[in-house]
Amino acid sequence: MLTGLATATQGQGLGIGNLLILLLPLILLAFLMMQQRKRVRQVSDLQTSLQVGEEVVTTSGMYGRIVAFDDPAVVLEVSPGVRLRFDRRAIGARAPQASGPLTPGSDAPEHPSPNDGPVSN
């Protein structure tokens, strides 16, 4: 009679444990699917809100300004007079805004590098 009671208690404990083992991966999968949907929605919103004249970055890392839209493509001006045609889905993000215009000599390093001066031993 005692063995039947011990088996019944162990059976209930295993049921809850099995349920937890089943639920944890399902919760993880649901979380991953929600994150993926959010990412797809953000990319879709970006693609629909693009306008001529905006600075963008392609998924391969090329910066350019949108000059025209074809139906499946976008024409980017990457340098004065140089226009490239990209698939619209290749636009990864808007380009970050520059902090200000560069003046001549402002792109010089703030601190001299060790190779600038004579080598002292």
Side-chain angles (χ1 to χ4, degrees), residues 24-99:
L24 287 176
L26 291 177
I27 291 171
L28 177 66
L29 284 173
F31 176 74
L32 291 174
M33 288 173 56
M34 288 185 338
Q35 292 297 319
Q36 181 63 26
R37 280 188 194 168
K38 181 180 176 183
R39 221 174 288 130
V40 167
R41 194 174 331 120
Q42 287 174 343
V43 169
S44 175
D45 291 344
L46 171 71
Q47 298 296 326
T48 57
S49 69
L50 292 174
Q51 297 177 358
V52 173
E54 282 188 280
E55 292 272 337
V56 293
V57 181
T58 65
T59 53
S60 61
M62 184 170 293
Y63 286 77
R65 182 180 309 274
I66 298 174
V67 292
F69 287 105
D70 291 342
D71 187 27
V74 63
V75 178
L76 297 181
E77 187 171 39
V78 294
S79 180
V82 179
R83 293 183 177 190
L84 301 175
R85 192 166 172 242
F86 281 90
D87 188 287
R88 193 176 184 134
R89 294 171 294 184
I91 305 299
R94 287 183 172 84
Q97 297 296 324
S99 59

